[in-house]
Amino acid sequence: MIRFDQGNHRFNYRVAGVAIHNDSVLLHRFDHEPFWTLPGGRAELGETAEQTITREMLEELGTDVDVDRLLWVVENFFEYEGVKYHELALYFLIHFRPGSAPLHSDAFDGVEGNVPLRFRWFAVRRDALVALPLYPPFLPEGLTALPSSPVHVVQRDAVSQRPHAV
């Protein structure tokens, strides 16, 4: 995984997938966390971003996805559990293949290593997404108006309780 620590600072390279189905977006959270994020994870050295999201979905959900296109390049600055993060994240529009298990349930479980994950489809409506604890904070607006070409986002968050950097 591509992650570097330097003192109290951590650089993290993450790739996330935006799966939209029946006007809902797939989000996930660790079983012990109160907030939601888009599914994904850290890239491995020598792995392309598309390979990363494909691998992560296979590991977490046991299913293949197709990668459609890059939506956002996000520089995300936040603090979580006392560590200051500088995260570079690529967000891709993805879709599950017909018949994939995630398309047939509103909520289901997955796993990251030995840590349980909760997956759930949420309506792609700004009011519904704003009501969630959803990180990074640009997502409620961004998910309701997907860009037609890649957009660079710089997200600086003063909130100290942040999503687990997967």
Side-chain angles (χ1 to χ4, degrees), residues 42-73:
R42 288 187 290 257
E44 300 287 343
L45 287 172
E47 183 178 63
T48 68
E50 290 91 346
Q51 289 170 328
T52 298
I53 195 60
T54 300
R55 175 184 51 78
E56 286 289 334
M57 293 298 92
L58 189 57
E59 288 175 0
E60 294 176 6
L61 295 172
T63 190
D64 290 316
V65 297
D66 290 317
V67 179
D68 297 326
R69 62 187 174 91
L70 179 64
L71 296 171
W72 299 291
V73 175

mmCIF file of all heavy atoms in Angstrom, residues 42-73:
data_model
loop_
_atom_site.group_PDB
_atom_site.id
_atom_site.type_symbol
_atom_site.label_atom_id
_atom_site.label_comp_id
_atom_site.label_asym_id
_atom_site.label_seq_id
_atom_site.Cartn_x
_atom_site.Cartn_y
_atom_site.Cartn_z
ATOM 1 N N ARG A 42 -6.208 1.808 -0.629
ATOM 2 C CA ARG A 42 -4.882 2.289 -1.028
ATOM 3 C C ARG A 42 -4.329 1.461 -2.175
ATOM 4 O O ARG A 42 -4.512 0.252 -2.249
ATOM 5 C CB ARG A 42 -3.940 2.227 0.173
ATOM 6 C CG ARG A 42 -4.254 3.287 1.205
ATOM 7 C CD ARG A 42 -3.212 3.297 2.289
ATOM 8 N NE ARG A 42 -3.304 2.112 3.117
ATOM 9 C CZ ARG A 42 -3.845 2.084 4.338
ATOM 10 N NH1 ARG A 42 -4.346 3.173 4.856
ATOM 11 N NH2 ARG A 42 -3.871 0.973 5.019
ATOM 12 N N ALA A 43 -3.643 2.160 -3.045
ATOM 13 C CA ALA A 43 -2.983 1.513 -4.179
ATOM 14 C C ALA A 43 -1.723 0.793 -3.701
ATOM 15 O O ALA A 43 -1.119 1.162 -2.694
ATOM 16 C CB ALA A 43 -2.616 2.552 -5.236
ATOM 17 N N GLU A 44 -1.347 -0.216 -4.430
ATOM 18 C CA GLU A 44 -0.084 -0.923 -4.215
ATOM 19 C C GLU A 44 0.942 -0.366 -5.198
ATOM 20 O O GLU A 44 0.574 0.106 -6.280
ATOM 21 C CB GLU A 44 -0.265 -2.422 -4.452
ATOM 22 C CG GLU A 44 -1.289 -3.087 -3.553
ATOM 23 C CD GLU A 44 -0.828 -3.248 -2.122
ATOM 24 O OE1 GLU A 44 0.394 -3.142 -1.858
ATOM 25 O OE2 GLU A 44 -1.693 -3.459 -1.250
ATOM 26 N N LEU A 45 2.209 -0.427 -4.839
ATOM 27 C CA LEU A 45 3.263 0.025 -5.744
ATOM 28 C C LEU A 45 3.187 -0.749 -7.060
ATOM 29 O O LEU A 45 3.008 -1.965 -7.062
ATOM 30 C CB LEU A 45 4.638 -0.151 -5.106
ATOM 31 C CG LEU A 45 4.969 0.828 -3.989
ATOM 32 C CD1 LEU A 45 6.273 0.447 -3.307
ATOM 33 C CD2 LEU A 45 5.060 2.246 -4.523
ATOM 34 N N GLY A 46 3.269 -0.036 -8.169
ATOM 35 C CA GLY A 46 3.244 -0.652 -9.492
ATOM 36 C C GLY A 46 1.856 -0.952 -10.013
ATOM 37 O O GLY A 46 1.705 -1.498 -11.108
ATOM 38 N N GLU A 47 0.828 -0.578 -9.255
ATOM 39 C CA GLU A 47 -0.556 -0.858 -9.627
ATOM 40 C C GLU A 47 -1.206 0.426 -10.157
ATOM 41 O O GLU A 47 -1.054 1.483 -9.558
ATOM 42 C CB GLU A 47 -1.278 -1.343 -8.364
ATOM 43 C CG GLU A 47 -2.690 -1.758 -8.513
ATOM 44 C CD GLU A 47 -3.252 -2.264 -7.190
ATOM 45 O OE1 GLU A 47 -3.333 -1.480 -6.218
ATOM 46 O OE2 GLU A 47 -3.609 -3.452 -7.138
ATOM 47 N N THR A 48 -1.916 0.335 -11.268
ATOM 48 C CA THR A 48 -2.625 1.512 -11.776
ATOM 49 C C THR A 48 -3.840 1.781 -10.887
ATOM 50 O O THR A 48 -4.304 0.899 -10.152
ATOM 51 C CB THR A 48 -3.110 1.315 -13.222
ATOM 52 O OG1 THR A 48 -4.141 0.325 -13.234
ATOM 53 C CG2 THR A 48 -1.962 0.935 -14.154
ATOM 54 N N ALA A 49 -4.381 2.979 -10.996
ATOM 55 C CA ALA A 49 -5.565 3.339 -10.208
ATOM 56 C C ALA A 49 -6.745 2.430 -10.575
ATOM 57 O O ALA A 49 -7.492 1.996 -9.695
ATOM 58 C CB ALA A 49 -5.909 4.809 -10.426
ATOM 59 N N GLU A 50 -6.925 2.146 -11.858
ATOM 60 C CA GLU A 50 -8.014 1.268 -12.280
ATOM 61 C C GLU A 50 -7.838 -0.136 -11.707
ATOM 62 O O GLU A 50 -8.810 -0.771 -11.290
ATOM 63 C CB GLU A 50 -8.097 1.205 -13.814
ATOM 64 C CG GLU A 50 -8.577 2.499 -14.443
ATOM 65 C CD GLU A 50 -7.428 3.448 -14.807
ATOM 66 O OE1 GLU A 50 -6.283 3.246 -14.340
ATOM 67 O OE2 GLU A 50 -7.694 4.396 -15.554
ATOM 68 N N GLN A 51 -6.604 -0.631 -11.672
ATOM 69 C CA GLN A 51 -6.342 -1.935 -11.072
ATOM 70 C C GLN A 51 -6.640 -1.910 -9.577
ATOM 71 O O GLN A 51 -7.157 -2.886 -9.031
ATOM 72 C CB GLN A 51 -4.886 -2.350 -11.307
ATOM 73 C CG GLN A 51 -4.571 -2.705 -12.731
ATOM 74 C CD GLN A 51 -3.069 -2.873 -12.978
ATOM 75 O OE1 GLN A 51 -2.236 -2.216 -12.344
ATOM 76 N NE2 GLN A 51 -2.735 -3.755 -13.908
ATOM 77 N N THR A 52 -6.348 -0.783 -8.934
ATOM 78 C CA THR A 52 -6.599 -0.670 -7.494
ATOM 79 C C THR A 52 -8.077 -0.788 -7.185
ATOM 80 O O THR A 52 -8.478 -1.568 -6.312
ATOM 81 C CB THR A 52 -6.057 0.669 -6.941
ATOM 82 O OG1 THR A 52 -4.648 0.714 -7.121
ATOM 83 C CG2 THR A 52 -6.381 0.818 -5.464
ATOM 84 N N ILE A 53 -8.918 -0.017 -7.866
ATOM 85 C CA ILE A 53 -10.343 -0.058 -7.535
ATOM 86 C C ILE A 53 -10.948 -1.408 -7.889
ATOM 87 O O ILE A 53 -11.807 -1.932 -7.167
ATOM 88 C CB ILE A 53 -11.129 1.127 -8.151
ATOM 89 C CG1 ILE A 53 -12.506 1.252 -7.492
ATOM 90 C CG2 ILE A 53 -11.241 1.023 -9.643
ATOM 91 C CD1 ILE A 53 -12.501 1.490 -6.012
ATOM 92 N N THR A 54 -10.470 -2.019 -8.959
ATOM 93 C CA THR A 54 -10.951 -3.352 -9.330
ATOM 94 C C THR A 54 -10.569 -4.367 -8.252
ATOM 95 O O THR A 54 -11.404 -5.177 -7.827
ATOM 96 C CB THR A 54 -10.370 -3.760 -10.698
ATOM 97 O OG1 THR A 54 -10.791 -2.793 -11.676
ATOM 98 C CG2 THR A 54 -10.840 -5.137 -11.116
ATOM 99 N N ARG A 55 -9.329 -4.310 -7.802
ATOM 100 C CA ARG A 55 -8.863 -5.228 -6.751
ATOM 101 C C ARG A 55 -9.622 -5.004 -5.449
ATOM 102 O O ARG A 55 -10.059 -5.946 -4.782
ATOM 103 C CB ARG A 55 -7.355 -5.055 -6.521
ATOM 104 C CG ARG A 55 -6.821 -5.883 -5.347
ATOM 105 C CD ARG A 55 -5.342 -5.637 -5.075
ATOM 106 N NE ARG A 55 -4.980 -4.245 -4.948
ATOM 107 C CZ ARG A 55 -5.203 -3.491 -3.836
ATOM 108 N NH1 ARG A 55 -5.842 -3.998 -2.799
ATOM 109 N NH2 ARG A 55 -4.808 -2.234 -3.802
ATOM 110 N N GLU A 56 -9.777 -3.740 -5.060
ATOM 111 C CA GLU A 56 -10.457 -3.433 -3.797
ATOM 112 C C GLU A 56 -11.891 -3.945 -3.793
ATOM 113 O O GLU A 56 -12.365 -4.492 -2.799
ATOM 114 C CB GLU A 56 -10.426 -1.931 -3.526
ATOM 115 C CG GLU A 56 -9.071 -1.418 -3.085
ATOM 116 C CD GLU A 56 -8.687 -1.866 -1.674
ATOM 117 O OE1 GLU A 56 -9.578 -2.145 -0.846
ATOM 118 O OE2 GLU A 56 -7.468 -1.931 -1.402
ATOM 119 N N MET A 57 -12.605 -3.772 -4.886
ATOM 120 C CA MET A 57 -13.992 -4.241 -4.940
ATOM 121 C C MET A 57 -14.056 -5.766 -4.882
ATOM 122 O O MET A 57 -14.936 -6.337 -4.233
ATOM 123 C CB MET A 57 -14.699 -3.722 -6.194
ATOM 124 C CG MET A 57 -14.912 -2.217 -6.227
ATOM 125 S SD MET A 57 -15.964 -1.578 -4.901
ATOM 126 C CE MET A 57 -14.756 -1.177 -3.653
ATOM 127 N N LEU A 58 -13.095 -6.409 -5.526
ATOM 128 C CA LEU A 58 -13.051 -7.868 -5.484
ATOM 129 C C LEU A 58 -12.743 -8.339 -4.062
ATOM 130 O O LEU A 58 -13.375 -9.269 -3.557
ATOM 131 C CB LEU A 58 -12.008 -8.388 -6.475
ATOM 132 C CG LEU A 58 -11.985 -9.894 -6.706
ATOM 133 C CD1 LEU A 58 -13.345 -10.400 -7.189
ATOM 134 C CD2 LEU A 58 -10.903 -10.242 -7.715
ATOM 135 N N GLU A 59 -11.789 -7.682 -3.384
ATOM 136 C CA GLU A 59 -11.434 -8.063 -2.013
ATOM 137 C C GLU A 59 -12.580 -7.806 -1.037
ATOM 138 O O GLU A 59 -12.870 -8.636 -0.182
ATOM 139 C CB GLU A 59 -10.199 -7.285 -1.538
ATOM 140 C CG GLU A 59 -8.916 -7.703 -2.180
ATOM 141 C CD GLU A 59 -7.722 -6.836 -1.792
ATOM 142 O OE1 GLU A 59 -7.885 -5.873 -1.000
ATOM 143 O OE2 GLU A 59 -6.623 -7.123 -2.279
ATOM 144 N N GLU A 60 -13.211 -6.649 -1.136
ATOM 145 C CA GLU A 60 -14.225 -6.256 -0.162
ATOM 146 C C GLU A 60 -15.596 -6.863 -0.433
ATOM 147 O O GLU A 60 -16.352 -7.125 0.494
ATOM 148 C CB GLU A 60 -14.342 -4.733 -0.104
ATOM 149 C CG GLU A 60 -13.101 -4.061 0.441
ATOM 150 C CD GLU A 60 -13.156 -2.543 0.410
ATOM 151 O OE1 GLU A 60 -14.213 -1.979 0.061
ATOM 152 O OE2 GLU A 60 -12.130 -1.925 0.732
ATOM 153 N N LEU A 61 -15.928 -7.050 -1.714
ATOM 154 C CA LEU A 61 -17.269 -7.504 -2.060
ATOM 155 C C LEU A 61 -17.312 -8.830 -2.815
ATOM 156 O O LEU A 61 -18.385 -9.369 -3.051
ATOM 157 C CB LEU A 61 -17.971 -6.437 -2.916
ATOM 158 C CG LEU A 61 -18.232 -5.122 -2.210
ATOM 159 C CD1 LEU A 61 -18.745 -4.084 -3.187
ATOM 160 C CD2 LEU A 61 -19.216 -5.319 -1.083
ATOM 161 N N GLY A 62 -16.145 -9.312 -3.232
ATOM 162 C CA GLY A 62 -16.112 -10.574 -3.953
ATOM 163 C C GLY A 62 -16.735 -10.505 -5.328
ATOM 164 O O GLY A 62 -17.237 -11.506 -5.842
ATOM 165 N N THR A 63 -16.701 -9.305 -5.939
ATOM 166 C CA THR A 63 -17.310 -9.154 -7.256
ATOM 167 C C THR A 63 -16.464 -8.235 -8.133
ATOM 168 O O THR A 63 -15.711 -7.403 -7.621
ATOM 169 C CB THR A 63 -18.748 -8.604 -7.140
ATOM 170 O OG1 THR A 63 -19.387 -8.696 -8.415
ATOM 171 C CG2 THR A 63 -18.769 -7.176 -6.657
ATOM 172 N N ASP A 64 -16.591 -8.417 -9.434
ATOM 173 C CA ASP A 64 -15.875 -7.573 -10.388
ATOM 174 C C ASP A 64 -16.659 -6.298 -10.669
ATOM 175 O O ASP A 64 -17.885 -6.275 -10.559
ATOM 176 C CB ASP A 64 -15.657 -8.318 -11.708
ATOM 177 C CG ASP A 64 -14.653 -9.446 -11.569
ATOM 178 O OD1 ASP A 64 -13.608 -9.225 -10.934
ATOM 179 O OD2 ASP A 64 -14.927 -10.543 -12.096
ATOM 180 N N VAL A 65 -15.933 -5.246 -11.026
ATOM 181 C CA VAL A 65 -16.546 -3.992 -11.464
ATOM 182 C C VAL A 65 -15.893 -3.574 -12.767
ATOM 183 O O VAL A 65 -14.796 -4.010 -13.095
ATOM 184 C CB VAL A 65 -16.379 -2.852 -10.429
ATOM 185 C CG1 VAL A 65 -17.070 -3.183 -9.130
ATOM 186 C CG2 VAL A 65 -14.911 -2.508 -10.205
ATOM 187 N N ASP A 66 -16.587 -2.732 -13.494
ATOM 188 C CA ASP A 66 -16.014 -2.102 -14.675
ATOM 189 C C ASP A 66 -15.784 -0.641 -14.341
ATOM 190 O O ASP A 66 -16.638 0.010 -13.721
ATOM 191 C CB ASP A 66 -16.959 -2.239 -15.871
ATOM 192 C CG ASP A 66 -17.039 -3.678 -16.356
ATOM 193 O OD1 ASP A 66 -15.994 -4.338 -16.441
ATOM 194 O OD2 ASP A 66 -18.162 -4.141 -16.641
ATOM 195 N N VAL A 67 -14.630 -0.131 -14.734
ATOM 196 C CA VAL A 67 -14.270 1.263 -14.480
ATOM 197 C C VAL A 67 -14.660 2.075 -15.703
ATOM 198 O O VAL A 67 -14.228 1.785 -16.812
ATOM 199 C CB VAL A 67 -12.757 1.396 -14.189
ATOM 200 C CG1 VAL A 67 -12.377 2.847 -13.951
ATOM 201 C CG2 VAL A 67 -12.360 0.529 -12.996
ATOM 202 N N ASP A 68 -15.505 3.103 -15.483
ATOM 203 C CA ASP A 68 -15.993 3.922 -16.587
ATOM 204 C C ASP A 68 -15.084 5.103 -16.878
ATOM 205 O O ASP A 68 -14.588 5.248 -17.981
ATOM 206 C CB ASP A 68 -17.411 4.421 -16.297
ATOM 207 C CG ASP A 68 -18.400 3.273 -16.184
ATOM 208 O OD1 ASP A 68 -18.231 2.266 -16.888
ATOM 209 O OD2 ASP A 68 -19.338 3.383 -15.378
ATOM 210 N N ARG A 69 -14.872 5.971 -15.855
ATOM 211 C CA ARG A 69 -14.045 7.154 -16.095
ATOM 212 C C ARG A 69 -13.668 7.829 -14.779
ATOM 213 O O ARG A 69 -14.318 7.626 -13.757
ATOM 214 C CB ARG A 69 -14.775 8.146 -16.994
ATOM 215 C CG ARG A 69 -16.055 8.697 -16.412
ATOM 216 C CD ARG A 69 -16.822 9.556 -17.435
ATOM 217 N NE ARG A 69 -18.100 9.974 -16.935
ATOM 218 C CZ ARG A 69 -18.335 11.101 -16.266
ATOM 219 N NH1 ARG A 69 -17.340 11.945 -16.026
ATOM 220 N NH2 ARG A 69 -19.543 11.415 -15.852
ATOM 221 N N LEU A 70 -12.632 8.641 -14.861
ATOM 222 C CA LEU A 70 -12.172 9.413 -13.713
ATOM 223 C C LEU A 70 -13.103 10.601 -13.499
ATOM 224 O O LEU A 70 -13.422 11.328 -14.449
ATOM 225 C CB LEU A 70 -10.738 9.903 -13.954
ATOM 226 C CG LEU A 70 -10.102 10.747 -12.851
ATOM 227 C CD1 LEU A 70 -9.943 9.942 -11.566
ATOM 228 C CD2 LEU A 70 -8.745 11.268 -13.332
ATOM 229 N N LEU A 71 -13.552 10.796 -12.244
ATOM 230 C CA LEU A 71 -14.407 11.927 -11.899
ATOM 231 C C LEU A 71 -13.631 13.050 -11.220
ATOM 232 O O LEU A 71 -13.735 14.205 -11.610
ATOM 233 C CB LEU A 71 -15.542 11.480 -10.965
ATOM 234 C CG LEU A 71 -16.546 10.502 -11.520
ATOM 235 C CD1 LEU A 71 -17.467 9.989 -10.413
ATOM 236 C CD2 LEU A 71 -17.354 11.162 -12.632
ATOM 237 N N TRP A 72 -12.899 12.705 -10.169
ATOM 238 C CA TRP A 72 -12.209 13.714 -9.364
ATOM 239 C C TRP A 72 -10.798 13.273 -9.011
ATOM 240 O O TRP A 72 -10.535 12.103 -8.762
ATOM 241 C CB TRP A 72 -12.938 13.950 -8.039
ATOM 242 C CG TRP A 72 -14.335 14.456 -8.158
ATOM 243 C CD1 TRP A 72 -14.730 15.687 -8.584
ATOM 244 C CD2 TRP A 72 -15.528 13.751 -7.838
ATOM 245 N NE1 TRP A 72 -16.098 15.791 -8.537
ATOM 246 C CE2 TRP A 72 -16.611 14.614 -8.080
ATOM 247 C CE3 TRP A 72 -15.801 12.465 -7.352
ATOM 248 C CZ2 TRP A 72 -17.934 14.239 -7.864
ATOM 249 C CZ3 TRP A 72 -17.117 12.093 -7.139
ATOM 250 C CH2 TRP A 72 -18.158 12.982 -7.401
ATOM 251 N N VAL A 73 -9.905 14.251 -8.960
ATOM 252 C CA VAL A 73 -8.585 14.117 -8.351
ATOM 253 C C VAL A 73 -8.670 14.992 -7.110
ATOM 254 O O VAL A 73 -8.893 16.200 -7.215
ATOM 255 C CB VAL A 73 -7.467 14.608 -9.295
ATOM 256 C CG1 VAL A 73 -6.126 14.565 -8.585
ATOM 257 C CG2 VAL A 73 -7.455 13.798 -10.582
#
